[in-house]
Amino acid sequence: MTKTTKPNTVAQPEERLLTEEEIRAMSDEDYMNPAQLAFFKNRLQELEKELLKNAGETTEHLRETVLVPDPADRATIEEEHALELRTRDRERKLLKKVQQSLASIESGEYGWCEETGEPIGIPRLIARPTATLSLEAQQRRELKQKLYGD
């Protein structure tokens, strides 16, 4: 199967979403059909909502400043804030990837390796819906980074 054989439509919202098991059981000829695209679009939208909710909660936590006279307690609170900010920074980067993946669904590019044009694969997309490289291409990239520090 090549990239040129994929359909460009997404299933209609009134259709029932498939389960992971149903998607895994589909044949290779069904790769990135409208039902699969609808499944991944829904999964990415749910992830996006969760990330945005977490960002809002962090803002609220940081606004709740508690003045404590004990320097050790103050240091603990500051460390918790720093940890939460690092976590949100990682989530901010993930949110960008989620939004790029949603855009690639709309453009008909989702599920296809950016390097090779081959299918990324359903199991990999279920595990990591924001994947843009096939497993083999990702392994090559990681090996090159390890060897050349690129």
Side-chain angles (χ1 to χ4, degrees), residues 53-107:
K53 183 179 105 238
N54 289 347
E57 289 175 0
T58 296
T59 304
E60 290 303 314
H61 288 154
L62 294 177
R63 283 190 186 143
E64 298 169 0
T65 54
V66 179
L67 297 175
V68 286
D70 183 35
D73 289 343
R74 198 168 344 145
T76 300
I77 291 170
E78 288 176 12
E79 183 60 32
E80 288 172 356
H81 285 170
L83 178 62
E84 191 166 2
L85 287 173
R86 282 193 303 267
T87 301
R88 293 306 159 249
D89 188 49
R90 284 193 303 273
E91 287 184 353
R92 178 186 55 80
K93 292 173 185 172
L94 177 58
L95 180 61
K96 183 178 176 184
K97 288 181 179 182
V98 167
Q99 291 168 338
Q100 289 171 340
S101 295
L102 286 168
S104 71
I105 287 175
E106 296 304 318
S107 69

Side-chain angles (χ1 to χ4, degrees), residues 31-49:
Y31 188 72
M32 288 300 116
N33 65 22
Q36 288 180 347
L37 287 171
F39 170 85
F40 287 111
K41 183 175 184 178
N42 180 63
R43 182 166 275 194
L44 288 162
Q45 288 172 334
E46 291 298 318
L47 183 57
E48 181 181 38
K49 284 180 203 171

